[in-house]
Amino acid sequence: MDRLTNTIRPYAWGSTTAIAELTGAEPSGEPQAEMWMGAHPGAPSRTERGALNEVIDAAPERELGKAAAAKFGPRLPFLLKILAAGAPLSLQVHPDLAQAKEGYADEERRGVPVDAPHRNYKDANHKPELICALTPFDGLCGFRAPAETAALLEALEVDSLKPYVDLLRAQPEEAALREVLTAVLTADPEEMAETVTEVTAAARRLGGIYAPYAGIAHHYPGDPGVIAAMLLNHVQLQPGEALFLGAGIPHAYLNGLGVEIMANSDNVLRCGLTPKHVDVPELLRVVRFDATDPGVLRPEASETGEEVYETPIDEFRLSRLVLPEGAAPHDLTAPTPQILLCTAGSVRAGELSLTPGQSAFVPAGEKAEVSGPGTVFRATVVA
């Protein structure tokens, strides 16, 4: 079992206090958005044996287990994070596996540099993800029913929104959502900025269900993503609740601290709330234009004593254990690779003591006993 030393990413939307409060460190005064735990080459965790990606590269079957290496290849198929949003992230979607392979091959064929700002596909993998709240957590997830969005927009009494209201009421669901999102993202920038300004003023005046959108507009004044965000469900998670984001589902995180796990990919197509590249035609190819229930997940008790967040994919499996004081050690030994993350109390993992924010990598087949008192998240795969 290897203690991990992890990189904190200082993205501008990150909270300046949340990760420090979790770990008991002094705030740096700078945004701390994400702590990465895994073998992603962009910021691999470090162990006493070296960078985790290099450790796995040197002996993939030993570190990952034969089944996981055969199923996912010679790399850790997931990336675990602590995510701390102090401001809204970009409104975005992720491709499915076929779309990612096709998009990556196309950009490779056209010679688009992988680090080019207009590049959409950094790799040929999909990026399903799960976010589990550690604190109250606000986000946007999936399209709201068109009739509900029409009523929401109409109540703002902004004249320039009327064409969107009419489309949402007149067209079938898929066509209505596609046409309105397309119209918002391709509108004249100056005219859209004026609309967003009017919407912002109305949202501040009305408050209530409009407050999240007024908050988004505060961070992204004039951005068409403010209107696009109003097409989506607003979700408020309580600690322990989670959201699963599959391919094509538009989403954005607004505020809060959570544990996030995803397939090991960088593929993001943005819809707004960002100064970065927005490729509208490619975005429209990937988005699923159907109204969806956000589907808040609550952990389900398993025979092993873990609380499992069930998802329809195999690249990751996230579970939680709340370990009482004085209880017998809990055996997590498995034929798959694992990362253990403490989020509360003090957890004993093998010979290691983990406090909040600390984590360990457990190679496949290695003995892994944990005891408390504390809470530990366990990330592994289904192989």
Side-chain angles (χ1 to χ4, degrees), residues 300-337:
E300 299 180 10
S302 70
E303 294 179 356
T304 63
E306 300 167 79
E307 298 174 304
V308 180
Y309 294 90
E310 296 289 352
T311 64
I313 52 94
D314 294 343
E315 280 90 341
F316 61 77
R317 176 184 183 271
L318 186 71
S319 59
R320 181 181 68 172
L321 292 98
V322 180
L323 302 163
E325 186 170 11
H330 199 102
D331 189 0
L332 297 179
T333 305
T336 51

Side-chain angles (χ1 to χ4, degrees), residues 354-368:
L354 303 178
T355 57
Q358 294 183 336
S359 56
F361 173 71
V362 186
E366 289 294 321
K367 187 73 172 174

Side-chain angles (χ1 to χ4, degrees), residues 305 321-330 344-348 370-376:
L321 292 98
V322 180
L323 302 163
E325 186 170 11
H330 199 102
S346 179
V347 173
R348 190 76 183 174
V370 295
S371 58
T375 298
V376 64

Side-chain angles (χ1 to χ4, degrees), residues 41-311:
S45 300
R46 298 199 63 81
T47 75
E48 289 187 354
R49 296 188 286 158
L52 186 56
N53 58 330
E54 296 173 353
V55 170
I56 292 171
D57 286 347
E61 282 200 4
R62 185 184 68 200
E63 302 296 330
L64 304 176
K66 288 186 178 180
K71 187 170 186 176
F72 303 110
R75 64 191 186 96
L76 190 66
F78 64 82
L79 176 63
L80 185 67
K81 300 179 180 180
I82 294 174
L83 183 144
L89 282 68
S90 62
L91 194 60
Q92 59 190 259
V93 297
H94 306 304
D96 63 25
L97 190 56
Q99 290 165 338
K101 289 180 176 179
E102 182 182 344
Y104 180 78
D106 175 64
E107 290 186 320
E108 287 289 282
R109 195 163 45 243
R110 292 189 285 116
V112 181
V114 73
D115 58 352
H118 62 285
R119 173 107 183 199
N120 292 316
Y121 297 94
K122 309 295 186 185
D123 52 68
N125 200 16
H126 63 164
K127 192 187 176 186
E129 61 189 42
L130 177 81
I131 183 76
C132 177
L134 295 177
T135 67
F137 195 97
D138 276 16
L140 305 172
C141 178
F143 287 110
R144 188 189 287 108
E148 294 176 18
T149 300
L152 187 79
L153 296 180
E154 188 173 48
L156 291 167
E157 298 183 339
V158 174
D159 289 344
S160 53
L161 293 180
K162 188 176 185 306
Y164 306 147
V165 173
D166 292 343
L167 281 170
L168 290 166
R169 286 183 170 149
Q171 298 286 350
E173 180 178 284
E174 181 178 349
L177 295 171
R178 179 182 292 275
E179 288 186 34
V180 171
L181 183 62
T182 302
V184 168
L185 297 181
T186 58
D188 178 82
E190 291 186 6
E191 292 179 3
M192 177 53 65
E194 291 179 8
T195 295
V196 172
T197 299
E198 291 184 58
V199 166
T200 303
R204 287 172 179 162
R205 183 181 71 252
L206 293 170
I209 59 174
Y210 295 95
Y213 307 106
I216 292 169
H218 170 75
H219 292 283
Y220 298 98
D223 193 304
V226 174
I227 309 300
M230 299 187 77
L231 302 175
L232 308 185
N233 298 295
H234 177 226
V235 185
Q236 293 179 295
L237 301 178
Q238 295 305 310
E241 295 181 335
L243 285 175
F244 173 72
L245 290 312
I249 303 297
H251 62 278
Y253 304 142
L254 304 181
N255 187 69
L257 181 71
V259 173
E260 185 181 37
I261 188 167
M262 62 190 62
N264 205 358
S265 171
D266 270 345
N267 289 326
V268 176
L269 290 155
R270 296 173 179 84
C271 317
L273 309 183
T274 178
K276 295 182 179 179
H277 177 60
V278 177
D279 185 334
V280 175
E282 187 63 16
L283 173 73
L284 297 176
R285 187 178 79 90
V286 168
V287 171
R288 285 177 49 193
F289 287 101
D290 51 72
T292 56
D293 185 307
V296 173
L297 295 177
R298 294 171 182 86
E300 299 180 10
S302 70
E303 294 179 356
T304 63
E306 300 167 79
E307 298 174 304
V308 180
Y309 294 90
E310 296 289 352
T311 64

